[in-house]
Amino acid sequence: MAERIEVLLSEEEVNKRIREIGDQISRDYAGKQVHLVCVLKGGSFFMCELAKRITVPVSLDFMSVSSYGKDTKSSGVVRIVKDLDEPLTDKHVLVIEDIVDSGRTLSYLLEMLKDRGPEDVKLCTLLDKPSRRVVDVKVDYTGFEIPDEFVVGYGLDYDQKYRNLPYVGIVKFD
Ligand code: IMP
Ligand code: MG
C-alpha cells in the first residue's frame, strides 16, 4: 500500500527548537563536559544537529538496542545490539533519543546506564508522545510533544524508510 507523508514539524521549526535546546544544555552544563549517548539509529540525526549547537565540551558515543521478542515486550527488557565504546565512569551522560513512546526502552536503558558509575544521567528526546506512556520516564529535555500519530523523518523510520527527511511527518495511508 502506498503511503503519503503529511508535514507535522517543518525543517525550520525543528532546527529552531534544536538551537534552543542546545542553548539550554550549554547553560545547564556550564563548566562541565557533556557525554552524549546516541541511541541508534533514530537518534543520530538529532544528535548531530544538537551537538553542533552545544558550546560546552562534548564527547560522543553510540549504542544500539532492540526489544526482545514480543513475549517479553511488556517487561521492557532490551537487548544490546551494539554497546558503547567507552566506560561512563564519572561522566555527565546525556542520552539522545528520537522519540519516547511507551517509555519501556528508555526506562530499561537508563537504569542500565546508571549502573555504570556515571556522575549523572539525563535524557533528551526530539519527540515525546506522552499519551502513549506505559512506564514512567523522566525526560529532561524535550523538543516537541506530539499527538498519538506514527511519525517519520529526522531519524525516525517506517519500515526503514524516511529517516533522511529533514522534517517530521505523519504517515498517512489513504
Ligand atoms: P518505547 O518508548 O519503548 O515504546 O519505544 C520507542 C521506540 O519505538 C522509538 O525509539 C522508536 O524507534 C519507535 N517508535 C515509537 N513511536 C514511533 C513513531 O511514531 N515513528 C517511528 N518510530 C517510533
Ligand atoms: Mg529509537
Side-chain angles (χ1 to χ4, degrees):
M1 195 200 307
E3 65 271 359
R4 72 186 167 83
I5 311 299
E6 191 178 281
V7 178
L8 175 67
L9 301 164
S10 70
E11 183 172 3
E12 291 72 26
E13 279 177 273
V14 174
N15 290 341
K16 176 170 174 280
R17 184 70 187 121
I18 292 177
R19 278 199 193 88
E20 290 169 1
I21 299 174
D23 287 345
Q24 197 187 335
I25 290 170
S26 302
R27 285 195 297 274
D28 293 352
Y29 287 84
K32 298 173 185 166
Q33 174 164 328
V34 60
H35 188 64
L36 304 182
V37 166
C38 173
V39 184
L40 293 171
K41 303 171 185 165
S44 57
F45 289 73
F46 177 39
M47 185 177 84
C48 291
E49 288 306 309
L50 181 64
K52 289 189 278 184
R53 307 297 162 200
I54 297 175
T55 54
V56 298
V58 168
S59 51
L60 310 171
D61 209 342
F62 298 85
M63 75 187 305
S64 180
V65 297
S66 79
S67 300
Y68 277 107
K70 65 178 187 319
D71 290 349
T72 51
K73 199 175 175 222
S74 56
S75 70
V77 174
V78 298
R79 182 168 62 90
I80 299 177
V81 177
K82 182 222 172 293
D83 205 344
L84 299 170
D85 289 337
E86 290 156 50
L88 298 181
T89 321
D90 300 331
K91 292 190 169 118
H92 298 285
V93 174
L94 183 57
V95 176
I96 309 293
E97 253 289 19
D98 50 359
I99 190 164
V100 184
D101 187 37
S102 71
R104 286 189 181 109
T105 314
L106 261 300
S107 72
Y108 184 86
L109 192 65
L110 291 172
E111 288 314 309
M112 192 174 67
L113 298 180
K114 282 175 190 162
D115 283 345
R116 297 186 182 188
E119 186 67 31
D120 46 58
V121 178
K122 291 188 175 178
L123 172 61
C124 177
T125 185
L126 178 62
L127 305 174
D128 188 359
K129 286 188 202 170
S131 63
R132 296 261 306 167
R133 201 72 92 253
V134 174
V135 181
D136 196 30
V137 178
K138 180 173 180 281
V139 183
D140 299 282
Y141 303 95
T142 305
F144 301 90
E145 290 194 355
I146 61 166
D148 182 11
E149 300 270 10
F150 195 83
V151 291
V152 293
Y154 232 98
L156 290 139
D157 74 301
Y158 168 63
D159 205 11
Q160 296 303 324
K161 292 182 295 185
Y162 305 116
R163 290 191 197 275
N164 59 315
L165 295 179
Y167 56 88
V168 176
I170 298 173
V171 184
K172 295 280 184 187
F173 302 92
D174 49 20

